[in-house]
Amino acid sequence: MTLPAHDTIVTYPAGELVRHATVLHTTPARDGLVAVVTDATSFHPVDAAWPDQPADTGTLRAGDRELPIRDAVVAATDGSELHVGDDVPVRKGTEGWAFVVAHLIDGDGPVAEGDQVVITADASARRALSLGHSACHAASLALNRAVESRWSKPARTDALGRVDFDGIAIASSRIEPFGSVDRYRLNKSLRRAGFDATGLAEALDELGREVSAAVGEWVAAGSTVRVERDGDRLTDRRSWVAELPEGVARIACGGTHVDSLAELGAVRVAFELVDDAGTPVLEMRTRVGADG
C-alpha cells in the first residue's frame, strides 16, 4: 500500500462532526486494532507530544457496516513507514514528513485503501470536551491575573499582557468532559525567575474564589470564542480566540471549543498543593456547567 504524502485535512476545528472521506492507507496497530488513514476527517485525535485533549468518540461507516472508532491518534510517515502515536519519532511539522490522523478500529473491520467511508464524531462527547477545553484556557488567563502580584522580575506575558504563570510553570494539562486538570511545578527555576510562592498554601481557597469569579465575569459578559486557523491541514497553526472585556486573547491550540464562554454556565476552580518527588505542584481543577 502507498503511504500518504500530505497531512490530513481536518474539519473538527470548524465544529464539523461528520465527514465523507477516502481511505488512503491501513496498517496493523496495537492490541489487534487497525489504523485507518483517510484524506480528511472530522475526528479530533490525541497527540502523543502534548496529550491534553482526548480523542473524539464515534464511528466509521464502511459500506453497510458501522464500526466503532476505538481511538484516534496522530501518526506520521516519511514515505517508508507509518509511525503511530507514541512511536512518532519527529516533532509535528518536521519537513519531509506527512502528519495524519490514524483512526483505530477492530481488526476484523472491512476497510481497504480506496474505500469511501463516513466518519462521525459523537456530538455530546465532543461538546463535553469542548466545554472543558474553553474553560481551561479561560481559567489559565484568570490564574495569571490572580498571581500577577507574586512576580518580582519581568517575564514573558500571556495573551492579555500579564505575566504568563500558566505558560512558564505548566507541567501537564488534561482536558476532561466538563472540565480540566492543570499542574504547575513550583520549583527552584520558577523562584529564580521571580515567582514568590510564600503563603500560597494558606491562600488556596481564596485563589480558587478569585479565579472562579474572574471566569464568571467573562461568562456573564457572553465572551465569544472562535478557532482561527492558517489552513485545513493537521499541522496548520490554530488558535483559540476569545473576545474578553479586557481585550482579545489568542492562545495557540489544536483542540475543540464552544462558541461562547456563556455556554460554560457555572464555573468552579479549585486548587490543591501536591508533592511530586519533592517538588511542590499547584494543581488547578476547573469544572463547568452541571458538573461544576
Side-chain angles (χ1 to χ4, degrees):
M1 288 187 177
T2 57
L3 285 160
H6 303 287
D7 293 355
T8 304
I9 294 171
V10 293
T11 58
Y12 55 81
E16 188 172 87
L17 294 168
V18 180
R19 180 72 181 189
H20 292 255
T22 301
V23 176
L24 301 179
H25 184 75
T26 67
T27 190
R30 58 172 168 80
D31 302 326
L33 300 174
V34 171
V36 178
V37 177
T38 54
D39 61 336
T41 187
S42 57
F43 222 80
H44 178 274
V46 65
D47 187 344
W50 185 252
D52 57 342
Q53 181 170 335
D56 280 330
T57 59
T59 61
L60 183 151
R61 190 172 77 242
D64 59 357
R65 288 192 61 185
E66 192 165 73
L67 311 167
I69 298 176
R70 303 299 184 186
D71 201 358
V73 297
V74 173
T77 179
D78 60 356
S80 62
E81 180 182 356
L82 185 69
H83 304 267
V84 179
D86 292 333
D87 294 332
V88 174
V90 293
R91 295 184 64 178
K92 197 162 60 176
T94 299
E95 187 175 354
W97 287 72
F99 291 82
V100 298
V101 177
H103 310 83
L104 302 184
I105 64 171
D106 293 329
D108 61 350
V111 180
E113 182 178 330
D115 284 355
Q116 301 300 303
V117 297
V118 179
I119 297 166
T120 303
D122 180 82
S124 60
R126 165 77 66 79
R127 178 168 174 77
L129 289 171
S130 297
L131 285 164
H133 208 150
S134 289
C136 175
H137 287 328
S140 73
L141 292 170
L143 174 60
N144 288 346
R145 184 172 81 175
V147 301
E148 189 172 26
S149 63
R150 291 181 173 273
W151 291 93
S152 61
K153 298 178 183 179
R156 82 183 205 194
T157 55
D158 67 10
L160 294 175
R162 298 188 178 94
V163 179
D164 191 9
F165 172 83
D166 174 81
I168 296 169
I170 190 76
S172 66
S173 181
R174 185 176 75 250
I175 308 303
E176 299 177 340
F178 307 106
S180 63
V181 179
D182 297 271
R183 292 166 62 91
Y184 304 97
R185 292 175 63 84
L186 307 180
N187 52 20
K188 292 180 180 178
S189 63
L190 188 67
R191 294 195 294 272
R192 287 195 296 268
F195 185 79
D196 182 7
T198 303
L200 185 61
E202 293 74 35
L204 295 182
D205 289 345
E206 180 183 350
L207 182 62
R209 288 191 293 270
E210 185 174 351
V211 173
S212 298
V215 178
E217 292 172 8
W218 298 334
V219 169
S223 301
T224 60
V225 171
R226 64 183 182 274
V227 175
E228 291 185 350
R229 54 196 188 277
D230 292 344
D232 294 327
R233 297 286 179 178
L234 179 61
T235 58
D236 285 333
R237 182 179 177 84
R238 296 186 289 278
S239 299
W240 176 85
V241 182
E243 302 275 353
L244 304 176
E246 291 91 333
V248 179
R250 284 182 171 82
I251 297 176
C253 180
T256 64
H257 293 280
V258 294
D259 295 326
S260 170
L261 294 186
E263 298 178 48
L264 303 184
V267 178
R268 180 178 182 272
V269 182
F271 292 90
E272 182 181 359
L273 272 178
V274 298
D275 181 84
D276 182 7
T279 298
V281 172
L282 179 67
E283 186 173 273
M284 177 173 73
R285 291 183 173 270
T286 304
R287 311 305 300 173
V288 306
D291 207 43

